[in-house]
Amino acid sequence: MPHFTVVPVKDQAQSSYDSLEGINWVDYRDTGQDYPDHQDTVSSDGHGNHKEDSPFLNSDAAFKKNDFYDRNLALFEEELDIRPKVSSLLSRLVSYTNITQGAKEHEEAESTEASRRKTPKSPNMGTLMGVYLPCLQNIFGVILFLRLTWIVGMAGIMQSLLIVFMCCSCTMLTAISMSAIATNGVVPAGGAYFMISRSLGPEFGGAVGLCFYLGTTFASAMYILGAIEIFLKYLLPQAAIFHTTDTLGSDSAMLNNMRVYGSICLSLMAVVVFVGVKYVNKLASLFLACVIISIVSIYAGAFKSMTHPPEFPICMLGNRTLVRDRFDVCAKTVIKGNSTVPSQLWERFCLLGNMSSAQCDDYFIQNNVTEIPGIPGLSSGIIRENMWGDYQQKGEILEKAGLQSVDAHGAMENFGMYVSADIATSFTLLVGIFFPSATGIMAGSNRSGDLRDAQKSIPVGTILAITTTSLVYFSSVVLFGSCIEGVVLRDKFGDAVRKNLVVGTLSWPSPWVIVIGSFFSTVGAGLQSLTGAPRLLQAIAKDNIIPFLRVFGHGKTNGEPTWALLLTGLIAELGILIASLDMVAPILSMFFLMCYLFVNLACAVQTLLRTPNWRPRFKYYHWALSFLGMSMCLALMFISSWYYAIVAMVIAGMIYKYIEYQGAEKEWGDGIRGLSLSAARYSLLRLEVGPPHTKNWRPQLLVLLKLDEDLHVKYPRLLTFASQLKAGKGLTIVGSVIQGNFLDSYGEMQAAEQAIKHMMEIERVKGFCQIVVAAKVREGIVHLIQSCGLGGMKHNTVVMGWPYGWRQSEDPRAWKTFINTVRCTTAAHLALMVPKNVSFYPSNHERFTDGNIDVWWIVHDGGMLMLLPFLLKLHKVWRKCKMRIFTVAQMDDNSIQMKKDLAMFLYQLRIEAEVEVVEMHDSDISAYTYERTLMMEQRSQMLRQMRLSSAERQREVQVVKDRHSLVRMGSLYSDEEEEVVEAPPEKVQMTWTREKCEAERRNRTNAPENFRELMSLKPDQSNVRRMHTAVKLNEVIVNRSHDARLVLLNMPGPPRNTDGDENYMEFLEVLTEGLERVLLVRGGGREVITIYS
């Protein structure tokens, strides 16, 4: 334990120790509830100082002004509103209370006003009362009293010890994992659900929380069925409503009685829970006392049997066990006076008549009736006979192996006289029936809010409780096998011992101690389950991770979960209608085992990930133990009932997927997120080994978006095209640039990011968003191209829009930014796609039922033009389109051979497409081409002179704009980008006078008005040739592909000389004129498609 020394610092000014009186310690992350006023947001005050709303401290506005000017903290006075003093933080921590989601706050809420004024009591429960005894009460239950003797009789002592060892080892390993999680910080109420959901995330938490809820609900049904079985079998058999004259139909009558009385008992218990939860909690100690007294009486009777075994004789016919309450004397004849007369047993097996002529059952005539002690005692040596198992089939008569018997066929009418097995038994069945008696280990963690030191009490109390109960189970198995006759152990309902509870025959001083004690303890356990299950469902509903459960988060004014209690009662009624304790027990075993499995998984994941927050005070855990516990849980699920295990897993899986797709997103710092980060890191390091093989190449997109003044996406169809091209595969990064200063524009950057993410959701683009704030848009785009991605997960293809309206704009910055981006992608060896007329591209809801995707393969670009149509056709929008590939042949090319070679190439690429070779003959340059080139150069020259003449005016305007400008939202190809065309330096002759200089300047200013120079321009021959190519290609493409759904075309590269940039834009316009949808494609300088497998 670290030691702290507090040294006071004297100061003349009065120190304000509690300067932040308004701070309340509220953990908004772990409650699972939505608090719109306290979200993790970051805003900007306009000066680069970001005001963060802390995720766990709520700052009150009522601060005293002098609090900020503490002399010792003057350096930090401006940030005390978001970074409080340590003294204030500690004072809030000390007063932090953790209220349980159980009955305690509901009791206190009965008088609302009083509870508001009442100061919260400090938790004062220790390990014994807070953890150990509640765990004992929850672990010991109906199975110990009603089924453990039967399990020992069927499985034998050795296999019974194995069953107990497997179940108790599973719970012990789970308790170790649970102790590590429970001591890793404060655990509010909610038990296993809270621990799993905060460790493995809302999906696992919701799925396992509902499984835990269903397990607790079916546990209440099991306890009620156990209580009704005790009531109808041992306390008041006369209360049975349904009777049967046929001995073979007694089981169905008993099941109907269980259903009726079980439903009545469930209704009464639900009313008790609804009306007065506090009485249930106050009676908990009484129910626990019943359990302890009953167990002590078993031990007392076992040791007393060493010298004075209790008198419970068993009547045997041959080696078969007889139902003892159907006759009075265990003999064939009795002596009345001086004569021998038939006994009641004789009359059961024989027809009426004298002893000589009576017609009797063959087995009865040929075998003797004997009487053996049902409880031979601890020193009798019966343990040797009970060491190994004797599994029975349904309807098989219980027989004692050591007795002589003549095998003869008996009449079916007398079958009801024998004790027989009611169900077929096996080792796996007994595991499923016994496991519920090992559950209940979460009782301590559920009460963490009432514990004085939860991080110490939960591990110690839980592990001690499991150790105690395990020892009781082990010793009980040995004592039962050492004291009780084997046929009595296999007699589930005590028919051989006059309908007495089998474990009650061993108890001291009377069997009624066990009967009454087990009845009350079972009723109490049922009430506890009916109390806890609705609150667990309410906690899940209030976390708001499962939308259809929201209604169950509401209740009465004092917080009682009324609707959750109603649903719990309905589900428990399903268990009651099953009416068989042996059928219900494996069901809840599945749900509890699944819950324990995920507790172990949570501990193992947290341990292996070594997350910084994983610092449990409980040190005696290891990931190997957690994995062993998880494996044992999984094995026990399939051992006990493989079909129930599959059903439980399917239910949990369906809930998981439902939460994943429909549930509210929660960030609880769970281990699955850490696991994802570790897996991503491992994969990224593997990807760093080298570039991907050609077979694995797919377009990893960087989509450059343009935003308008309101931060809305200007061309959302770019995202639509990206989603159709990717179909959810590979990497997609959506980037945009905001022009301005990062310190001033941080809030706007967040708003733009949210707008883009929203649009990505609408267009179903799975990827990431990256916003860059830069002084110039051109620089921001370069930053995106250079820095987006991580390791091997970097983009290899850039998608950007066409700069529409560049001809009408006098400002060259829009198309200059476009051309600069083209040059940057080429320099970075990235592929480039430019969808032209993107507004006409189809949405994700449209479907083309026919049409063609035309590929004009003019120059080889690594195969991009072949691959892109294939990827597009995987999407439902383009699936019905056919692919056509056109290539251009010159005069000296063999077009027929080219077509054959291209068809073979496509065949080897496994791409289905029509192939066509277009011949372009050499022709003279037309007058139209010459005129078009001349117009292009005249326009360029005129705009250049206009820009040069207005340079001085732009400088003056720029100064004004710099002084009065607000934060402006520039974006890609923005016309507002700050860039001034520098005028060339003026040439001034040294001999000029002032008047001559000014006249020369005026002449230079008026120069653009003289268009004679423009009219006398002659077009550059290289431009004429390029224009000729563009015009001829455009004619051919429009002729062949005017009705195509999409035209893919090689995009020419920009000229090496930047003086021809504007002409380059004109060439692209001419090349794509008259086409509705065009995709300009530039390869990245590597092969992206291969013919090899």
Side-chain angles (χ1 to χ4, degrees), residues 717-760:
R717 286 296 165 87
L718 275 176
L719 292 175
T720 310
F721 172 73
S723 68
Q724 293 169 5
L725 183 66
K726 301 297 292 181
K729 307 294 183 183
L731 175 71
T732 303
I733 303 174
V734 181
S736 187
V737 179
I738 290 180
Q739 188 178 350
N741 188 342
F742 178 76
L743 295 178
D744 300 332
S745 306
Y746 185 76
E748 287 75 15
M749 184 185 80
Q750 278 200 323
E753 185 174 351
Q754 292 301 320
I756 291 178
K757 285 183 176 178
H758 178 65
M759 187 57 65
M760 289 172 67

Side-chain angles (χ1 to χ4, degrees), residues 161 299 470-480:
L161 290 174
Y299 282 101
S470 301
L471 291 175
V472 169
Y473 288 140
F474 282 121
S475 59
S476 297
V477 168
V478 176
L479 288 177
F480 293 158

Side-chain angles (χ1 to χ4, degrees), residues 565-738:
L565 178 61
L566 180 62
L567 180 65
T568 302
L570 292 175
I571 297 175
E573 179 63 22
L574 296 178
I576 298 293
L577 293 178
I578 296 174
S580 173
L581 185 69
D582 304 318
M583 295 286 288
V584 174
I587 296 176
L588 66 101
S589 294
M590 289 305 113
F591 291 123
F592 278 121
L593 278 168
M594 183 162 288
C595 175
Y596 295 165
L597 183 150
F598 281 101
V599 170
N600 286 296
L601 177 63
C603 180
V605 167
Q606 298 275 38
T607 306
L608 289 175
L609 290 179
R610 298 177 182 175
T611 51
N613 192 50
W614 180 247
R615 302 184 299 274
R617 289 189 179 277
F618 181 77
K619 302 298 182 184
Y620 305 102
Y621 69 94
H622 194 269
W623 64 267
L625 292 177
S626 300
F627 268 113
L628 180 60
M630 186 177 67
S631 305
M632 288 192 68
C633 289
L634 191 62
L636 284 174
M637 287 176 68
F638 283 93
I639 286 173
S640 56
S641 178
W642 63 268
Y643 44 90
Y644 279 158
I646 292 175
V647 169
M649 288 181 170
V650 168
I651 292 174
M654 290 171 62
I655 298 170
Y656 178 94
K657 298 306 288 184
Y658 177 79
I659 297 173
E660 186 178 25
Y661 285 105
Q662 297 293 333
E665 293 185 4
K666 301 287 181 182
E667 177 52 64
W668 286 331
D670 50 84
I672 292 298
R673 187 173 180 84
L675 187 62
S676 302
L677 288 172
S678 296
R681 171 184 169 275
Y682 174 77
S683 302
L684 285 171
L685 291 175
R686 289 286 302 273
L687 286 174
E688 277 286 345
V689 174
H693 192 272
T694 304
K695 290 186 291 185
N696 297 327
W697 194 95
R698 65 169 63 247
Q700 316 284 13
L701 302 183
L702 170 61
V703 184
L704 300 177
L705 286 185
K706 182 175 182 178
L707 303 178
D708 59 17
E709 291 78 7
D710 298 325
L711 298 181
H712 296 147
V713 178
K714 197 165 186 180
Y715 301 113
R717 286 296 165 87
L718 275 176
L719 292 175
T720 310
F721 172 73
S723 68
Q724 293 169 5
L725 183 66
K726 301 297 292 181
K729 307 294 183 183
L731 175 71
T732 303
I733 303 174
V734 181
S736 187
V737 179
I738 290 180

Side-chain angles (χ1 to χ4, degrees), residues 787-949:
S787 60
C788 277
L790 181 64
M793 285 294 287
K794 291 183 71 69
H795 56 278
N796 55 28
T797 306
V798 177
V799 180
M800 65 174 177
W802 178 261
Y804 302 102
W806 68 272
R807 282 174 170 167
Q808 289 75 26
S809 174
E810 295 182 0
D811 193 347
R813 286 184 287 278
W815 54 264
K816 281 194 173 183
T817 302
F818 174 82
I819 296 176
N820 185 70
T821 306
V822 176
R823 286 196 172 100
C824 288
T825 55
T826 305
H829 300 288
L830 301 176
L832 176 66
M833 289 187 284
V834 181
K836 197 164 181 286
N837 302 327
V838 73
S839 301
F840 296 107
Y841 276 57
S843 68
N844 285 323
H845 304 293
E846 299 178 39
R847 294 191 184 183
F848 290 139
T849 56
D850 56 2
N852 299 313
I853 299 177
D854 287 356
V855 176
W856 284 85
W857 192 20
I858 300 169
V859 293
H860 182 56
D861 58 353
M864 279 283 290
L865 286 173
M866 308 294 176
L867 186 62
L868 292 178
F870 171 76
L871 296 176
L872 280 175
K873 279 169 61 65
L874 296 177
H875 196 272
K876 61 184 180 181
V877 173
W878 306 92
R879 190 167 294 151
K880 298 292 181 64
C881 295
K882 294 181 180 179
M883 183 174 166
R884 297 192 302 183
I885 296 184
F886 297 90
T887 188
V888 176
Q890 302 297 327
M891 281 294 294
D892 53 349
D893 294 329
N894 188 341
S895 58
I896 299 176
Q897 187 63 37
M898 280 181 66
K899 186 172 182 178
K900 288 182 180 179
D901 293 342
L902 182 56
M904 178 58 65
F905 180 59
L906 290 176
Y907 175 78
Q908 292 174 338
L909 288 176
R910 291 90 62 202
I911 291 178
E912 294 182 4
E914 295 181 21
V915 176
E916 193 165 342
V917 177
V918 179
E919 296 182 353
M920 290 186 66
H921 301 288
D922 289 337
S923 60
D924 295 333
I925 296 174
S926 63
Y928 170 76
T929 303
Y930 194 86
E931 183 180 354
R932 184 110 188 216
T933 309
L934 182 61
M935 288 174 58
M936 174 187 72
E937 294 192 355
Q938 285 176 345
R939 178 180 177 277
S940 300
Q941 182 68 18
M942 181 179 66
L943 288 175
R944 190 176 297 114
Q945 290 183 0
M946 289 176 65
R947 284 195 293 271
L948 290 176
S949 64

